[in-house]
Amino acid sequence: MLYGLLLFPMGMAFVVWLVGRSNQRARNLLAALTTVAEFGLTVWIALAPDLSAGIDGVAGLGIHLETDGFRRVYLVVIAFLWMMTTLLGNEYFSHYKTCNRYYFFNLMTLGATIGVFVSADLFTALIFFEIMSFTSYPWVIQEEMEAAIRAANTYLAVAVIGGLAALMGLFLLWHTLGTTTISALYDAAKTVDNKAVLYVAGGCVLFGFGAKAGMFPLHIWLPKAHPVAPAPASALLSGLLTKSGVFGVLVLTCRVFYADPAWGTVILVLGTVTMVLGALLALFSIDLKRTLACSSVSQIGFILVGIGMMGLLGESGALAARGTLLHMLNHSLFKLVLFMAAGVVYQNLHALDLNDIRGFGRKKPLLLLPFLFGALGIGGFPLFNGYVSKTLLHESIVEGVAHLAAHGGNAFGLRAVEWLFLLSGGITVAYMTKLFVALFIERHPTRQAEFDQKRPYMNGVSTFALVASALVLPALGLSADWTMNGIADIGTGFMRAGALAHPVQYLAWSNLKGGLLSIAIGFALYFGIVRTVLMQKQNGAAVYVNRWPKRLDLEELLYRPLLTKWLPGILGSIAALFGENRITGLLAKGVLRGGMGIAALFGKNRITAPLAKGALRGGMIAAHGLSDLLDAWILLLRKTVYRDCRPEPENTAMKSLPYRFGSLLDRIAIRHGREEQGGRRFAETAYRTRRTLRTTSRQITGNLSFALLMLVLAICAVFVYTLFMR
């Protein structure tokens, strides 16, 4: 059953692609039906008892899958988001000449993402994690514009480097603990006395999964990839693929470093910086989708704060565990609604700059209400689902402060985290207010009449996908005592969290005051910063301006110079030591001087002097031979095995089958009056074509680079063999 859950969308990806080559409407319908069927299958599995499956021998450690409460919850979330974005995508991609590639990789990524969340061990999770990274790459590069190509390269680089780091960490974990099975990690980690190796291994795995989650300082791909990707893909990148990274961080914190204050502090600090930085980037942005992308960075920070508090509180971290799970769920739903709304704007205007799209949402209630619900939810307004999860996260910090105070510890650091938590919530309200006012309240200075008359702005299927998704947000918020609490009861067992000391009264004043304080901060920032500092007068009209300094782009400031200039420079300097025979040249000089010293000892002795001179000359010859050994080897290969090919003799070519067939065609053409007597047009064409193909083939196959390429392919073949065979 679990393998069917993975393989069904992956198999249908090929069917959808084949159908799409001849009939795009049938392809769209088939893709939508596939995601609807997948949603139904996940609901069925979610209602069933826990399942497990495995195939031993794959890559040595095998592929193992299982479900539990947490996984069942997120399976339904994954399938729901995929279904809704696919329904919206049918209209969104209607203006694209071709998007067969998108639908193929969309379904492939669905199977891989589910594979990550149902993995029973970290090795299986990493395999599906890497498949997911590569199959989602075409989403980012879909538009194939310069910005999309650059963002896709950044996304791929982060995915590859992060995956390699995570793989190295898994090797260390396997060596230290003897297992990567998630259910066995806790017991295995308890027996390790020396935590240093575990911290190194955990840091490597954290690097890989944290990069996908968008954790600072590895968040650089998120603000670049989301704006250039199609809106349905942006919703999935933000709402789900980032959660696959969070899943890895959760496994580390709840199983390997359970109740480890040092690890919890690291995650808490990284989460706090991510939370604040993402909110600031979103506040300054004037691009609709970039603002939502930076918002995702901030909301991932909120989730990481909850994970950090789980690490600090251990068995007492029930509030943090419930808040973390529910905010993961809520953020997926927020970004589904908000990015789909952004997609409706883009498919109508093909613009995302707030100055270009301002006023588009006026007189469009079916766009206004979903966006408003998403904004109120992510802003943490009471009676919406975001308020519930943010309240739990905030109260876990308050609980941590009280815990430290009760044990005589210094709680200043946690109090600072609480203040930054409330401030980040306020910034969230400020930038969402900015987006809402720009889209639905302000008027465009020149195109407002055109915007007001634009009908229809989305079809019935897109309206259903957007409105139905938006209605989930207040429905969960209004029924939190039994829906969201029930989800938390089901899912937090995975996090090894204890039971709540007492039920949470979400609308009690002690809980309301934190949320209301963030809302007040948000409106103060909007009127005090956004409407003054982040807007300016141009030609008599107020326009939005991005005042975030471009030089603070971390990718351009650090990562690109590091990978393209600094590291190549350092490694080049090291390699230069071996260039021009410097190392072997020094060896030759050493042998020379040694020989001269030996000769000097014997002076003009006629018997020993010739021996010394012979040893000296032999040493010089050996040194120079060693110095030029590599050059000589390459020269030998070029002059023998890989020598330039000689042209084929003409008489041999004329006896070939293509030349004879061409001559036959020439005779037929002459007989039917198509050619003059003696014409050899077909024969000469066949001769030139054959000679070109043979010469090119021999040059390629006789080239040293081709030999090295074949060696690499042979190594890959061995790797594939060891991957699937014992």
Side-chain angles (χ1 to χ4, degrees):
M1 183 63 69
L2 289 179
Y3 288 117
L5 195 64
L6 308 178
L7 297 178
F8 172 65
M10 288 182 164
M12 289 302 298
F14 291 93
V15 178
V16 167
W17 180 78
L18 289 173
V19 170
R21 291 175 61 85
S22 57
N23 192 323
Q24 294 188 14
R25 292 187 63 183
R27 175 203 62 202
N28 296 349
L29 178 61
L30 187 58
L33 290 176
T34 299
T35 56
V36 171
E38 185 77 357
F39 177 68
L41 185 58
T42 57
V43 172
W44 183 27
I45 290 178
L47 297 175
D50 293 346
L51 302 173
S52 63
I55 302 177
D56 295 327
V58 178
L61 298 180
I63 300 292
H64 301 96
L65 311 175
E66 67 178 7
T67 60
D68 56 23
F70 173 82
R71 291 176 169 93
R72 292 202 302 270
V73 168
Y74 239 86
L75 281 178
V76 175
V77 174
I78 291 169
F80 179 75
L81 263 70
W82 236 281
M83 177 178 64
M84 291 304 187
T85 54
T86 304
L87 292 176
L88 180 86
N90 291 341
E91 181 183 15
Y92 183 88
F93 290 110
S94 60
H95 66 282
Y96 284 68
K97 292 183 179 179
T98 176
C99 52
N100 230 22
R101 175 180 65 190
Y102 172 83
Y103 279 99
F104 174 81
F105 285 107
N106 187 49
L107 294 177
M108 291 292 289
T109 308
L110 170 56
T113 306
I114 289 177
V116 173
F117 281 92
V118 297
S119 297
D121 57 74
L122 284 175
F123 181 74
T124 302
L126 184 64
I127 290 176
F128 285 111
F129 187 82
E130 289 302 292
I131 294 173
M132 178 192 70
S133 296
F134 285 104
T135 55
S136 58
Y137 167 79
W139 290 354
V140 184
I141 206 171
Q142 173 70 28
E143 301 284 351
E144 296 187 11
M145 298 181 296
E146 182 179 355
I149 294 172
R150 188 174 181 84
N153 291 340
T154 301
Y155 177 78
L156 190 61
V158 171
V160 170
I161 296 172
L164 291 174
L167 181 61
M168 183 168 60
L170 289 189
F171 287 156
L172 289 173
L173 279 179
W174 172 261
H175 176 74
T176 306
L177 303 180
T179 183
T180 62
T181 302
I182 294 173
S183 59
L185 287 175
Y186 173 69
D187 291 329
K190 285 195 304 182
T191 63
V192 177
D193 296 326
N194 183 8
K195 294 286 187 180
V197 177
L198 274 186
Y199 285 134
V200 173
C204 291
V205 178
L206 177 65
F207 185 98
F209 283 95
K212 184 65 69 180
M215 179 186 70
F216 175 87
L218 307 171
H219 64 285
I220 57 172
W221 67 272
L222 261 167
K224 306 288 181 67
H226 287 197
V228 298
S234 297
L236 298 174
L237 284 166
S238 176
L240 291 177
L241 269 66
T242 55
K243 304 307 181 304
S244 66
V246 173
F247 175 74
V249 181
L250 270 176
V251 171
L252 289 174
T253 304
C254 301
R255 301 305 173 103
V256 181
F257 302 105
Y258 181 72
D260 187 323
W263 179 266
T265 300
V266 170
I267 301 298
L268 182 63
V269 170
L270 292 174
T272 302
V273 175
T274 305
M275 174 179 66
V276 177
L277 177 64
L280 288 174
L281 290 172
L283 184 67
F284 278 80
S285 172
I286 60 171
D287 182 283
L288 175 58
K289 286 177 65 179
R290 178 179 170 83
T291 302
L292 297 177
C294 295
S295 169
S296 293
V297 176
S298 180
Q299 298 305 309
I300 292 298
F302 279 90
I303 294 169
L304 292 174
V305 166
I307 296 176
M309 292 306 304
M310 289 164 56
L312 291 176
L313 295 173
E315 292 183 358
S316 302
L319 286 173
R322 297 169 78 86
T324 298
L325 171 61
L326 293 179
H327 205 63
M328 287 177 65
L329 166 70
N330 289 336
H331 179 249
S332 297
L333 297 174
F334 300 151
K335 289 309 165 66
L336 170 66
V337 173
L338 293 172
F339 272 112
M340 287 201 301
V344 173
V345 175
Y346 183 79
Q347 73 187 20
N348 282 275
L349 301 181
H350 300 287
L352 292 169
D353 190 293
L354 294 184
N355 295 305
D356 296 328
I357 64 176
R358 63 198 305 176
F360 175 77
R362 292 171 61 90
K363 300 181 180 180
K364 296 179 177 62
L366 294 179
L367 179 62
L368 184 150
L369 287 176
F371 194 94
L372 178 62
F373 287 173
L376 294 175
I378 200 171
F381 282 75
L383 304 182
F384 283 82
N385 56 338
Y387 167 77
V388 175
S389 54
K390 285 191 173 183
T391 295
L392 291 169
L393 292 174
H394 177 248
E395 291 306 306
S396 72
I397 303 173
V398 174
E399 185 179 49
V401 171
H403 181 78
L404 277 178
H407 291 80
N410 187 352
F412 175 77
L414 277 184
R415 291 191 184 277
V417 171
E418 181 189 5
W419 299 333
L420 291 172
F421 184 95
L422 296 175
L423 175 63
S424 299
I427 299 175
T428 304
V429 173
Y431 64 69
M432 291 310 303
T433 303
K434 172 183 175 180
L435 295 181
F436 184 81
V437 170
L439 271 173
F440 301 102
I441 296 179
E442 292 180 333
R443 303 176 65 90
H444 195 281
T446 58
R447 301 180 61 188
Q448 192 58 53
E450 174 192 346
F451 290 170
D452 291 344
Q453 295 172 4
K454 199 166 188 64
R455 296 289 189 278
Y457 52 90
M458 57 179 169
N459 64 24
V461 176
S462 298
T463 301
F464 166 77
L466 181 58
V467 174
S469 301
L471 290 176
V472 175
L473 308 184
L476 289 175
L478 292 170
S479 62
D481 286 335
W482 62 277
T483 54
M484 301 193 76
N485 283 348
I487 293 172
D489 291 338
I490 294 172
T492 51
F494 176 83
M495 305 176 187
R496 302 185 63 86
L500 281 175
H502 54 79
V504 179
Q505 302 296 327
Y506 295 110
L507 297 181
W509 173 247
S510 58
N511 293 324
L512 276 171
K513 63 182 180 182
L516 294 178
L517 179 58
S518 283
I519 294 170
I521 292 172
F523 285 126
L525 290 173
Y526 175 75
F527 290 106
I529 301 296
V530 174
R531 303 301 299 183
T532 56
V533 179
L534 301 182
M535 297 188 76
Q536 67 181 25
K537 289 284 187 178
Q538 290 184 4
N539 300 323
V543 297
Y544 294 96
V545 292
N546 186 356
R547 299 193 184 279
W548 186 264
K550 291 184 178 180
R551 63 179 178 273
L552 294 183
D553 186 330
L554 193 59
E555 179 184 352
E556 303 297 336
L557 185 67
L558 175 62
Y559 292 117
R560 284 189 179 270
L562 177 65
L563 295 175
T564 60
K565 295 180 181 179
W566 303 339
L567 279 180
I570 294 171
L571 296 177
S573 300
I574 296 173
L577 295 175
F578 298 89
E580 299 294 334
N581 300 318
R582 294 186 182 182
I583 297 296
T584 51
L586 292 175
L587 178 61
K589 290 180 180 179
V591 173
L592 175 63
R593 291 178 180 176
M596 292 174 64
I598 294 172
L601 292 176
F602 294 95
K604 296 182 178 181
N605 189 301
R606 294 183 179 181
I607 297 177
T608 55
L611 296 176
K613 290 181 179 179
L616 173 62
R617 290 178 179 176
M620 292 173 62
I621 293 172
H624 284 291
L626 180 63
S627 174
D628 296 326
L629 182 61
L630 181 61
D631 292 338
W633 176 248
I634 294 176
L635 181 62
L636 178 64
L637 290 174
R638 290 289 293 115
K639 293 298 184 181
T640 56
V641 180
Y642 299 110
R643 64 184 180 275
D644 294 337
C645 62
R646 298 176 181 177
E648 185 180 25
E650 185 173 354
N651 59 345
T652 302
M654 289 183 176
K655 295 178 182 179
S656 64
L657 183 62
Y659 185 84
R660 292 178 177 179
F661 182 70
S663 299
L664 176 62
L665 293 178
D666 286 328
R667 288 195 294 271
I668 294 173
I670 293 171
R671 181 173 299 176
H672 289 80
R674 301 292 180 88
E675 295 284 349
E676 296 181 359
Q677 188 70 28
R680 300 197 314 172
R681 180 165 61 93
F682 291 106
E684 289 179 353
T685 300
Y687 166 71
R688 288 195 300 269
T689 302
R690 181 179 184 275
R691 185 179 62 179
T692 301
L693 290 174
R694 286 180 63 85
T695 302
T696 303
S697 175
R698 293 177 66 188
Q699 286 177 343
I700 292 175
T701 56
N703 191 278
L704 182 59
S705 299
F706 179 80
L708 296 175
L709 175 61
M710 292 299 102
L711 177 62
V712 171
L713 292 178
I715 294 173
C716 292
V718 172
F719 173 75
V720 171
Y721 176 80
T722 56
L723 187 67
F724 292 102
M725 304 293 292
R726 285 185 177 275

